[in-house]
Amino acid sequence: MRSCIQPRAGRRRWPTPLQLLGGLLLGVLSHAAAPAVELIANGDFHAGLAGWRPLWTRDPGVATAETQRSQSGTEVLITHTGNQDWSFTQGERLPVKPGDMFVLSAQLALTGEGSATLGVITYDVNGQPLDWSFGGREVRAQPKGATPRTRLIIPERVAAIEPRLIGSGPARVRLSQISLRRDGNLADLRAEGLPADFRFEAGPLAITLRTSDATLEVLDRRDGRRWHQESRNAGILVRQVQPEGANLRLELLHVPTDSRLTALLETAGERPEFTFCLSGEMAMEEALAFPHPFVTEPGTSLVVPMNEGISFPVDDPTIDPMRLIAYGGHGICMAFWGVTDGVAGQMAIIETPDDAAIRIDRADGRLIVAPEWDAQKGRLGYPRRLRYVFFSEGGHVAMAKRYREHARAQGLLKTLAEKREANPNVDRLIGAVNVWCWDNNAVGIVEELQAAGIQRILWSNRQSSQNLRALNDLGVLTSRYDIYQDTMNPANFPRLRGIHSDWTTEAWPQDLMLDRNQNWVRGWRVRGKDGEWYPCGVLCDRQAPAYATRRIPAELATHPYLCRFIDTTTASPWRECWSADHPMTRSDSREWKMRLLETMSKDLGLVTGSETGHDAAVPYVHYFEGMLSLGPYRVPDAGRDMQRIWTEVPERVAKFQLGHRYRLPLWELVYHDCVVAQWYWGDYNNKLPALWDKRDLFNALYGTPPMFMFNHRLWQENRERFVASYQAAASVARATGYSEMVDHRFLTPNRDVQQTRFANGVVVTVNFGEEPFEMVDGTQLAAGRQRLQLPGVSPQE
């Protein structure tokens, strides 16, 4: 990877922070001043629980907090048996000012599967909470003791803090001390003589750096719009700014760790964009939130590639703050985000996404997005890079097309037409309904489906060799479920109701993923005969391809599958493994996950699918189960209770999962001609009958096939409805399957009527509303209906 810091001839060594600040500030950084006053009331618990609020738990009656004697004095024993969260909080809030610095520390020991986090709640001047776990330091499984420590630098708008220890899950915590001491104010560390502003240009953009807080203001001279950042990380201090041609080099001090960082702001010729690259040697105990987020204006919306895609109106109070990783399917599935008023906008492309995330939060009541960098094996490691792009027109479509350009440059854009050349069976996938059915008579059911008009079928459940041959002869794409993540301890087998045949049992324990404390990473949990839950261990991604190559070729020799679905690989995050025998960074994890998928699609010649989806896998797979289903808005327990048909619609499912005023086809605008997107197997077309019609409309609008889950009885009882669903969705998917989606637009201000266009000339218009819509040709599109316009053919409804 190219470093963002280019060497310069004769470059002198810049002074250390202490040399720059001089003897006057030496006491601040070296803590040579008189001992700071302890700010926690009864932090050593010598007075019992005085000064502390009663232990709070999400679930009632699942925890206790009591003092007991220990070798060092008095400690609080917190015993929590529940699976949700708890909080042990100091009784009084502490008034603070922006820039104030504190050191918060604790001494504790923890046993059990749960966790504990030391931090503070921050409050504004009105007493409203801003951050429930500011400066949080998490502890897991430390029976011999741990000393979490965090340096707090108070951000703008914070007027008070409240120290506390919070936790989640079953655990016993022995807490012997919590301490909070004042450590000066950031203003004491600022360099003198540094200009307040530095300006540079990127095409039509005029950019201003404010050295007081390292924020940027961008003027887009095409339309006069101004974008400005808000400081959300007071721990970054600008020490020096050096113009380098059209670029700026910033020498920074990360105050909490006393680490020197360098940022390079680099223009891109006349394009309305620039890159921000951060590098340096820095130990990290928490994510680094920098650069700062751009604030948003009333009436604008965030553009977020959460699974298929969603827009969040920044003024919508019903949107919860959230953190979305860029390194797994349950986060952002493409490495960008944006904000738009529907026409103009700005986006950020994460060019180093393997250890990155975004945090959706609020500033002045409106949603914002802040980038965060996670550690690579405890350090900043490699240079971290963002690209900011500004648009005067095009909205979310322009953003998606700019990201498609980026994906092409990264080698991610491999089309289904290209994949079909390597494997002709790919054509069986295009326009095929994905059927999950566990009945034995697969061949008979498929013959019934085809006789009813459902011709193109992906049959996802495993079959006998005889059935596979018959299904293949019927033109079906035959597949089966497989997984290379979960490994159960064989010692637990007698306690379980069943043993999953796809568990890589022989991997226990030598090939399990280990965390930095050398504990094996917990995965999917299984309820035993005794009612207790037994977690699987997570197979290290480095080891997974070897298990696949031992398992699959032998099976294919007798069972002629044409396809394989690999569960979890693109849903679960890239992980670090701290094993000495098979260590991994998250980047390594991604590479080994992709190698596993390449084993399926290239080495074994199988049409390949995986769960949820992430664009790192686009060159190696053909479809994603779950890309259409927004992860946070599925029905409860969708991954376990798959076959349950919901007769009542949860509010969040109706509002967001099937909410046409929120959803965006971002994935289709980037990758429609590269990977087939499907619903999740716990969120299929017939899952909620009251929303079935609307799912079909989304399938048609996006050019994606439906998914059905049924048994023979359910199929026979709803035969006509299943056929109608297939005809509404699969025909469009077949007509557009190899074509880029070139446009998506809202034809009404309330987004009830939407339209998509594809590179082969197909146009799909859908009316999600309750009133008919007059088309440009004067015809009416009825409420709840779709219209398919094929090149040279009269429109079809």
Side-chain angles (χ1 to χ4, degrees), residues 137-186:
R137 289 287 185 271
E138 185 184 64
V139 175
R140 288 183 177 271
Q142 292 285 348
K144 296 182 179 180
T147 55
R149 181 180 183 275
T150 180
R151 195 174 188 188
L152 307 173
I153 301 177
I154 304 303
E156 295 292 332
R157 303 190 301 121
V158 174
I161 61 174
E162 196 170 61
R164 65 176 183 164
L165 186 72
I166 61 176
S168 178
R172 283 171 54 90
V173 180
R174 293 175 22 242
L175 176 64
S176 56
Q177 186 179 47
I178 293 185
S179 172
L180 179 69
R181 297 178 184 270
R182 194 178 298 273
D183 198 32
N185 189 282
L186 194 64

Side-chain angles (χ1 to χ4, degrees), residues 602-738:
K602 181 180 178 181
D603 299 351
L604 299 176
L606 296 169
V607 176
T608 303
S610 193
E611 183 191 357
T612 301
H614 190 283
D615 73 342
V618 168
Y620 311 107
V621 302
H622 305 92
Y623 69 99
F624 285 130
E625 279 197 20
M627 181 58 73
L628 288 177
S629 299
L630 310 179
Y633 305 120
R634 299 170 184 174
V635 296
D637 215 14
R640 294 182 183 274
D641 198 8
M642 299 96 65
Q643 298 186 65
R644 175 186 171 186
I645 301 298
W646 283 65
T647 56
E648 296 183 4
V649 179
E651 180 183 359
R652 283 165 59 87
V653 175
K655 182 174 183 176
F656 297 112
Q657 185 69 270
L658 276 298
H660 61 273
R661 294 186 173 93
Y662 290 91
R663 292 188 64 118
L664 294 175
L666 298 178
W667 181 267
E668 307 311 320
L669 285 164
V670 179
Y671 290 120
H672 182 268
D673 56 337
C674 297
V675 177
V676 176
Q678 300 175 352
W679 301 104
Y680 180 60
W681 75 341
D683 187 52
Y684 39 88
N685 287 64
N686 58 302
K687 179 75 172 181
L688 297 99
L691 297 177
W692 194 341
D693 289 343
K694 196 166 188 179
R695 280 192 200 271
D696 293 346
L697 291 179
F698 272 115
N699 278 130
L701 183 68
Y702 292 0
T704 57
M707 175 186 285
F708 302 152
M709 185 174 289
F710 54 63
N711 55 31
H712 193 216
R713 178 189 58 79
L714 190 62
W715 151 249
Q716 289 185 322
E717 291 175 353
N718 298 273
R719 179 192 303 259
E720 292 183 0
R721 184 64 193 83
F722 280 115
V723 171
S725 181
Y726 173 83
Q727 292 173 341
S731 58
V732 184
R734 181 64 185 174
T736 65
Y738 294 109

Side-chain angles (χ1 to χ4, degrees), residues 359-410:
R359 185 174 296 278
I360 298 177
D361 208 339
R362 293 190 182 274
D364 297 326
R366 295 189 296 274
L367 295 173
I368 58 171
V369 178
E372 294 187 350
W373 306 112
D374 288 335
Q376 184 190 61
K377 289 295 184 83
R379 305 195 66 82
L380 182 63
Y382 56 93
R384 311 301 182 94
R385 188 178 178 95
L386 286 176
R387 179 177 298 272
Y388 290 106
V389 187
F390 295 80
F391 304 91
S392 59
E393 59 184 4
H396 68 279
V397 175
M399 294 178 193
K401 294 309 174 184
R402 177 62 185 89
Y403 187 77
R404 182 177 168 97
E405 178 187 346
H406 167 77
R408 188 187 303 276
Q410 297 299 308

Side-chain angles (χ1 to χ4, degrees), residues 461-747:
N461 192 27
R462 69 176 69 194
Q463 295 294 310
S464 67
S465 58
Q466 180 179 357
N467 279 359
L468 288 171
R469 291 185 177 88
L471 292 172
N472 290 341
D473 290 343
L474 291 171
V476 173
L477 181 60
T478 50
S479 185
R480 59 154 287 191
Y481 173 99
D482 204 353
I483 186 170
Y484 296 91
Q485 174 172 287
D486 295 334
T487 299
M488 178 61 73
N489 184 351
N492 291 331
F493 285 179
R495 303 181 180 94
L496 305 180
R497 295 185 175 94
I499 300 171
H500 200 300
S501 61
D502 294 326
W503 284 340
T504 51
T505 303
E506 60 271 32
W508 188 280
Q510 72 280 356
D511 288 333
L512 296 186
M513 191 95 66
L514 300 183
D515 65 19
R516 66 185 308 164
N517 296 317
Q518 298 299 296
N519 299 311
W520 53 272
V521 176
R522 271 62 174 169
W524 185 256
R525 298 190 307 156
V526 178
R527 190 187 292 275
K529 301 173 185 175
D530 54 4
E532 297 295 321
W533 289 96
Y534 295 89
C536 290
V538 173
L539 177 68
C540 181
D541 296 316
R542 181 183 290 271
Q543 310 301 87
Y547 285 94
T549 54
R550 288 198 294 268
R551 173 187 295 174
I552 300 176
E555 181 184 41
L556 292 179
T558 57
H559 290 68
Y561 289 103
L562 304 179
C563 178
R564 210 167 188 96
F565 171 71
I566 308 301
D567 198 15
T568 77
T569 296
T570 53
S572 62
W574 322 157
R575 291 184 171 96
E576 293 181 340
C577 182
W578 293 73
S579 165
D581 296 326
H582 40 81
M584 292 192 309
T585 63
R586 289 192 186 92
S587 296
D588 295 331
S589 174
R590 170 182 52 79
E591 290 177 4
W592 285 105
K593 283 172 177 276
M594 298 310 108
R595 178 63 191 127
L596 174 66
L597 296 173
E598 187 179 42
T599 298
M600 308 296 158
S601 60
K602 181 180 178 181
D603 299 351
L604 299 176
L606 296 169
V607 176
T608 303
S610 193
E611 183 191 357
T612 301
H614 190 283
D615 73 342
V618 168
Y620 311 107
V621 302
H622 305 92
Y623 69 99
F624 285 130
E625 279 197 20
M627 181 58 73
L628 288 177
S629 299
L630 310 179
Y633 305 120
R634 299 170 184 174
V635 296
D637 215 14
R640 294 182 183 274
D641 198 8
M642 299 96 65
Q643 298 186 65
R644 175 186 171 186
I645 301 298
W646 283 65
T647 56
E648 296 183 4
V649 179
E651 180 183 359
R652 283 165 59 87
V653 175
K655 182 174 183 176
F656 297 112
Q657 185 69 270
L658 276 298
H660 61 273
R661 294 186 173 93
Y662 290 91
R663 292 188 64 118
L664 294 175
L666 298 178
W667 181 267
E668 307 311 320
L669 285 164
V670 179
Y671 290 120
H672 182 268
D673 56 337
C674 297
V675 177
V676 176
Q678 300 175 352
W679 301 104
Y680 180 60
W681 75 341
D683 187 52
Y684 39 88
N685 287 64
N686 58 302
K687 179 75 172 181
L688 297 99
L691 297 177
W692 194 341
D693 289 343
K694 196 166 188 179
R695 280 192 200 271
D696 293 346
L697 291 179
F698 272 115
N699 278 130
L701 183 68
Y702 292 0
T704 57
M707 175 186 285
F708 302 152
M709 185 174 289
F710 54 63
N711 55 31
H712 193 216
R713 178 189 58 79
L714 190 62
W715 151 249
Q716 289 185 322
E717 291 175 353
N718 298 273
R719 179 192 303 259
E720 292 183 0
R721 184 64 193 83
F722 280 115
V723 171
S725 181
Y726 173 83
Q727 292 173 341
S731 58
V732 184
R734 181 64 185 174
T736 65
Y738 294 109
S739 295
E740 176 187 354
M741 180 187 284
V742 295
D743 192 25
H744 167 255
R745 62 183 62 185
F746 304 109
L747 301 186

